[in-house]
Amino acid sequence: MAARPAKREPVTRPVRARTPRAAQDELNVSIRKQSVSDVIARSLEEDIVLGRRYPRERLVEQDLCERFKTHRGDVRLALFELEKKGIIQRIPNRGAIVRDLTPKEVREIYAVREELEVMAIRILPFPVAKSDLDQLAELQREHSAAIDVGDLLTVFYSNLHFHQMLFGLCSNTCLIEAIELLAQKTYGIRSYANAFPEALDQARRDHIEMIEALRASRRDDLIALARRHLKPSQEAYIRAYERRFGDTNLAIRILAK
Amino acid sequence: MAARPAKREPVTRPVRARTPRAAQDELNVSIRKQSVSDVIARSLEEDIVLGRRYPRERLVEQDLCERFKTHRGDVRLALFELEKKGIIQRIPNRGAIVRDLTPKEVREIYAVREELEVMAIRILPFPVAKSDLDQLAELQREHSAAIDVGDLLTVFYSNLHFHQMLFGLCSNTCLIEAIELLAQKTYGIRSYANAFPEALDQARRDHIEMIEALRASRRDDLIALARRHLKPSQEAYIRAYERRFGDTNLAIRILAK
DNA sequence: CCAATCTGGATTGTTTACAATATAGTTTGA
DNA sequence: TCAAACTATATTGTAAACAATCCAGATTGG
């Protein structure tokens, strides 16, 4: 008779010791294998942030399957993720559309983000290590060069990395994640700011000043810079929104058809 | 010959007017039909917060299917949601376990939450309408009564509703959601605080003082109360954690087996 | 007696097929 | 002529079957 097979878990034990492999995984948190749906989600984010997809544009599952050469399961999961992040909106039985933020929502998101970025700078330990400053400067050069040649994709990513590195200097992981999540919520409106070359230029100058403030351990200056740095993109969006609709009432009339 | 059928979308238009029904859905944001996976996720959250499921306990998809009388698709989605919220942890090919937070993570989460709650109180418009104060008082009575009879489920929900109502008074939706998300991250450790009856008593007194501060429009007092209110549960968890493991190194040794 | 290997089955991950829903264009009736 | 009902299909939602992975205990070799 065949040997009595293993039962992986007696199903009753409430608390149970972790197996060796699981413990290893938990301790080495860095080994984050990214799933297919994550890749799809990121790619769609990129499309949205670069203005290749517009607010209220439909995202049809079948189309995405063909584009990413996969089945609908992964695509659906990616759409659920993006919905939770607030980048797209899903309507039951009707599908997903790129989310269109109102000026009020944009202002609220930026207010919270400002609060958290200021907090990050407040708890950030000074002085900052030279190696960190060098890395930041390198990312800044990358950003600057991308602006010069008009490579918006690289502008986006080097800017993202610059900010991740900057706020990553504060040691509160939860705070870092919260800041990033809020930044993602406004991906859909970024392309409006990119349309103004002078805004990109201002961002570049801000980054340089930020590095200087970090080097000199001038916390208050850095806070003021961070606050100022957040202003242009939200203002660009609100201006564009009002140009589109004139005023909020008109917007509602149009959207309701 | 059959009539030429409709093609729902020409597939090419980048920006497209919304259909009447879709617009209606967007404007009436209150009609949030909750999906099956949301129900499952909430129920699991409840189990965790009430200590019915312990940190590192496994969550097997098939078991959950039977419990919620559904197929694995919904259960899987719920688990993905909970993972994103940070309430559970998923290990590829091995399944999901209730997440076990380290004291460091708990401190970080509470630090961010405190920052946001203080912000909410700072922007909250005074004076508060009498009807709102009455509602808060009603929720507080419910909470107090639940403590008296030891009904922890009602304690949890009435406490939740009290805080939702309180922070809901600030008009920044994004901020309200962020506060709630952070509160959810610590669901797994709530049962530790509930184990100390004096902590529940303190919470009850805090709520009463908060309502008084609101009624008198004493913003600074309210901020101090909110800060104080967050302390006990994180301290209870950290104490319990250290009782379990003595110190962090021991914890790591045990977890790694 | 210990360690390396093997193996059965428990569990998660993927794919496909099928059902439900909503909409654009057509038809029908006043 | 216009609006209400109808129909065909695009699209999403659900379910179940199949494949890949992983571990507990058994087996094997030293």
Side-chain angles (χ1 to χ4, degrees):
Chain A
M1 184 172 287
R4 189 65 188 293
K7 213 156 106 195
R8 192 161 170 182
E9 168 110 33
V11 110
T12 51
R13 290 284 309 290
V15 178
R16 155 179 188 275
R18 193 187 291 90
T19 58
R21 173 59 183 281
Q24 206 177 32
D25 283 350
E26 175 163 330
L27 294 176
N28 298 346
V29 285
S30 57
I31 308 178
R32 288 293 307 222
K33 181 208 154 203
Q34 59 183 359
S35 63
V36 180
S37 63
D38 287 333
V39 175
I40 296 173
R42 184 157 5 213
S43 179
L44 288 175
E45 270 177 28
E46 190 181 298
D47 285 350
I48 292 169
V49 78
L50 292 177
R52 291 197 289 244
R53 291 187 187 272
Y54 292 82
R56 300 204 300 283
E57 176 173 347
R58 288 188 60 191
L59 299 171
V60 175
E61 295 180 1
Q62 189 56 48
D63 297 349
L64 298 174
C65 290
E66 282 157 23
R67 172 168 163 204
F68 293 106
K69 310 267 184 280
T70 184
H71 54 96
R72 275 176 55 216
D74 288 334
V75 170
R76 268 166 91 65
L77 213 50
L79 293 178
F80 279 107
E81 285 183 33
L82 291 176
E83 183 192 27
K84 195 141 306 218
K85 283 189 186 175
I87 294 174
I88 68 168
Q89 177 180 19
R90 273 171 31 84
I91 302 165
N93 287 314
R94 300 219 334 110
I97 58 176
V98 177
R99 185 156 170 201
D100 192 20
L101 296 171
T102 65
K104 174 173 183 290
E105 290 171 315
V106 170
R107 268 188 281 260
E108 289 179 354
I109 293 168
Y110 273 94
V112 178
R113 186 170 158 199
E114 181 177 321
E115 187 81 13
L116 292 182
E117 291 195 358
V118 168
M119 175 185 177
I121 296 172
R122 228 176 40 229
I123 67 174
L124 184 157
F126 279 140
V128 177
K130 180 166 186 316
S131 60
D132 289 336
L133 287 169
D134 290 346
Q135 259 186 284
L136 269 172
E138 173 55 32
L139 290 172
Q140 190 279 321
R141 276 192 292 276
E142 202 177 299
H143 181 240
S144 186
I147 291 175
D148 287 334
V149 297
D151 174 1
L152 290 183
L153 180 61
T154 306
V155 167
F156 168 64
Y157 277 111
S158 54
N159 179 66
L160 178 66
H161 294 148
F162 180 89
H163 287 92
Q164 282 175 340
M165 171 98 209
L166 173 62
F167 294 111
L169 293 175
C170 95
S171 53
N172 186 326
T173 311
C174 171
L175 177 56
I176 296 167
E177 283 171 13
I179 290 173
E180 183 150 352
L181 189 68
L182 289 172
Q184 287 172 343
K185 278 188 196 292
T186 56
Y187 273 6
I189 70 166
R190 288 289 191 81
S191 55
Y192 290 90
N194 288 350
F196 298 93
E198 65 271 23
L200 288 177
D201 244 35
Q202 181 62 47
R204 161 164 43 190
R205 284 196 300 275
D206 287 347
H207 287 187
I208 293 171
E209 284 191 62
M210 284 175 173
I211 293 175
E212 271 319 300
L214 276 174
R215 196 185 309 276
S217 295
R218 292 199 311 265
R219 204 181 294 273
D220 290 342
D221 287 359
L222 193 56
I223 288 175
L225 280 169
R227 287 192 202 275
R228 193 181 78 190
H229 192 61
L230 288 174
K231 289 281 180 297
S233 71
Q234 67 181 304
E235 282 170 2
Y237 176 72
I238 291 169
R239 275 206 305 275
Y241 191 94
E242 283 168 356
R243 202 159 37 244
R244 261 199 297 168
F245 295 117
D247 65 74
T248 307
N249 287 339
L250 177 57
I252 289 176
R253 274 206 305 283
I254 290 176
L255 296 184
K257 188 163 337 181
Chain B
M1 183 172 289
R4 188 65 187 292
K7 220 176 64 204
R8 192 161 168 184
E9 167 108 34
V11 110
T12 50
R13 293 282 310 289
V15 178
R16 155 178 189 275
R18 192 187 292 90
T19 58
R21 173 60 182 280
Q24 207 177 30
D25 285 349
E26 175 163 332
L27 294 175
N28 297 347
V29 283
S30 57
I31 309 180
R32 285 297 304 222
K33 181 209 152 200
Q34 56 184 0
S35 62
V36 180
S37 63
D38 287 333
V39 174
I40 297 174
R42 186 155 1 207
S43 178
L44 289 175
E45 271 177 27
E46 188 181 299
D47 285 350
I48 291 169
V49 76
L50 292 178
R52 293 199 288 245
R53 292 187 187 270
Y54 291 83
R56 299 207 298 285
E57 175 174 349
R58 288 188 60 191
L59 300 170
V60 175
E61 294 179 0
Q62 189 55 48
D63 298 349
L64 298 175
C65 291
E66 285 158 21
R67 172 167 162 204
F68 293 106
K69 308 268 181 281
T70 183
H71 54 95
R72 275 177 54 216
D74 288 334
V75 170
R76 261 168 154 276
L77 213 51
L79 293 178
F80 279 108
E81 285 183 32
L82 290 177
E83 182 191 28
K84 196 143 304 218
K85 282 189 185 176
I87 294 175
I88 68 169
Q89 177 180 18
R90 273 173 29 86
I91 302 166
N93 288 313
R94 299 222 332 108
I97 57 176
V98 177
R99 185 156 170 201
D100 193 19
L101 297 171
T102 65
K104 175 174 183 290
E105 290 171 313
V106 170
R107 269 188 280 261
E108 289 179 354
I109 293 167
Y110 273 94
V112 178
R113 189 171 156 199
E114 181 176 321
E115 188 81 13
L116 293 181
E117 292 195 356
V118 168
M119 175 185 178
I121 296 171
R122 228 175 40 229
I123 67 175
L124 183 156
F126 279 139
V128 177
K130 181 166 186 314
S131 60
D132 289 335
L133 287 169
D134 289 345
Q135 258 186 283
L136 269 172
E138 173 55 30
L139 289 171
Q140 190 277 322
R141 275 192 293 276
E142 201 177 299
H143 181 239
S144 187
I147 291 176
D148 286 334
V149 297
D151 175 0
L152 291 183
L153 180 61
T154 305
V155 168
F156 169 64
Y157 276 111
S158 56
N159 179 66
L160 178 66
H161 293 148
F162 180 89
H163 287 91
Q164 282 176 341
M165 171 99 209
L166 172 63
F167 295 112
L169 293 175
C170 94
S171 54
N172 185 325
T173 310
C174 171
L175 177 56
I176 295 167
E177 283 172 12
I179 290 173
E180 182 150 354
L181 189 70
L182 289 172
Q184 288 173 342
K185 277 187 196 292
T186 56
Y187 272 6
I189 71 165
R190 287 293 189 80
S191 54
Y192 290 90
N194 288 350
F196 298 92
E198 66 271 22
L200 287 178
D201 244 36
Q202 180 62 47
R204 160 165 41 191
R205 284 196 300 273
D206 287 347
H207 288 186
I208 293 171
E209 285 190 62
M210 284 174 172
I211 293 175
E212 270 319 298
L214 276 173
R215 195 185 310 273
S217 295
R218 293 199 310 264
R219 204 181 294 272
D220 290 342
D221 287 359
L222 192 57
I223 289 175
L225 279 169
R227 288 192 201 275
R228 193 181 78 190
H229 192 61
L230 286 174
K231 288 281 180 297
S233 71
Q234 66 181 305
E235 281 170 3
Y237 177 73
I238 291 170
R239 275 206 305 276
Y241 193 92
E242 284 168 356
R243 203 159 37 243
R244 262 199 297 167
F245 296 119
D247 65 75
T248 306
N249 287 339
L250 177 58
I252 289 176
R253 274 207 304 284
I254 290 175
L255 296 184
K257 187 156 349 172

